[in-house]
Every structure is written in C-alpha cells, then in structure tokens.
Amino acid sequence: MKTYSIGDVTSHNTEQDCWIIVHGKVYDMTPFLNEHPGGKKIVLKVAGQDASKQFDNFHNQAILDKYTPKLCIGKIGDGSDVSLTAQEDHTPVDEEEESSIGFGDMIPFGDPAWYQDYESPYYNDHHRQVRSAMRKFVEKEIMPFCSEWDENKEVPKSAIKRLGELGILANTCGHPFPKKYFKGKIMGVVDVEHQDALMEFIISDELSRCGSGGVVWGLLGGLGIGLPPVLIFR
C-alpha cells in the first residue's frame, strides 16, 4: 500500500481533488462526492484533513469495509505520525466542532436540509449551539430514565425544575418569549434575545429523541397548552 504524509493529503482539499484520512488510511473521495448519502458538502468540509472523528459520528466499521477497496489509495507513514483518531482520543468533541459537522443520519430527504449544513436564511449558529447542548442534555439526563418514569407514570419534579433552569419550559410558552421570568441563557449557551420559533421547535425535536411519548408529554405537552394562556391572560 502506498505511503503518504499528512502534508501530502493536506493539498488535496477541493471538489476536484478531495482526499481525507480515516484511521490512518488515505481515501480519494473525489469520484464519490456526488454519491455520498449526506451530500458532498459534508465531505468537503474535511477535505485534506483527518476526518476520523467526523466519520465515527455517523458511520461504523462496516462502511469502511465496504468502501475501502474502492476509495482507499494508501496509508499515512508507518502509522506513527497519524493524528489521534476518535478510537484513540477520548477527549469529548467541543460544541463548536460538533455543531460544524451537522446532525442526523445524513440521509437525503430523510433529514432536514439544514442538518447537513446547507445554507438557510433561518438556521444559524445560535440554533446549532442550542441543538448541540439540548442533544447532550437529553442523552445524559432524560434517555437513561425514560423507562423508569414511564413505569412510575410520573416525571420527577427535579427533572421539570431542571428544564426550567435551562429555559426549556420557557420555550414552550409561544411568543413573545417570557424574558421577565427567565434570566439565564437558553441551554446555558444562548442569550434570550436570540430565541425564536425555530429554536422552540429544535428544543421539542431534540427532546422527542428520547422515544417516550409519555415523557415528552409529561415535560412539555401540558405546559405547552396550559402555560401560555396563564401568562397572557393572568
């Protein structure tokens, strides 16, 4: 197998000449760009770079096994000068990096176009930051407890209080956003002046990933119906 340095790969960073590194192997993605299920833009964002972390966020070893014979053109050195891959580097991906690589499964027509980082007049960096923070929150503080809460037919008050602290409950109130009653940052990352209807949707969308209709309804459903009239007509 032909050997390349990381510097060799760096210069191949255009749509007409696109190489990437995945776990120490070099892949010429140029002929595959238009066939990539997530669209070529996702690949071009890591052209000429080590894309191991980004690859592992959306794919498994079976994908490498399938496409290595077609796209792999060599390897990096003897393996000693390869930058850390996701399997070796256990440092969490920071919010800025995570939000830059999109969300969803990158399936054409299966995810909203803005998941794949296509330009949108509505979806901006504030939305990305909230979605990233909300996804982490749901995976850590909601998903592990859904079965227990469903069995008990009750969502703990501590969980509802936590949603209030993060501005999630305030986002169920419709518009205008109740700034008078929420003084922090939404999900701890975005100031309230950036709140809009799309951010409200994103929060509900991410919470729905927990897979429990009962939990979603228990946390947002009743409040979303009952709280806005209380705030408006109190």
Side-chain angles (χ1 to χ4, degrees), residues 140-159 210 212 214-215:
K140 180 180 179 181
E141 300 191 37
I142 301 295
M143 285 183 177
F145 309 106
C146 281
S147 295
E148 177 185 344
W149 295 349
D150 277 334
E151 288 294 323
N152 293 336
K153 296 181 174 61
E154 182 179 8
V155 176
K157 291 182 179 179
S158 59
C210 75
S212 169
V215 169

Side-chain angles (χ1 to χ4, degrees), residues 175-188:
H175 303 281
F177 183 85
K179 296 181 182 179
K180 178 180 177 181
Y181 300 100
F182 182 74
K183 302 299 183 181
K185 291 188 175 184
I186 299 171
M187 295 307 301

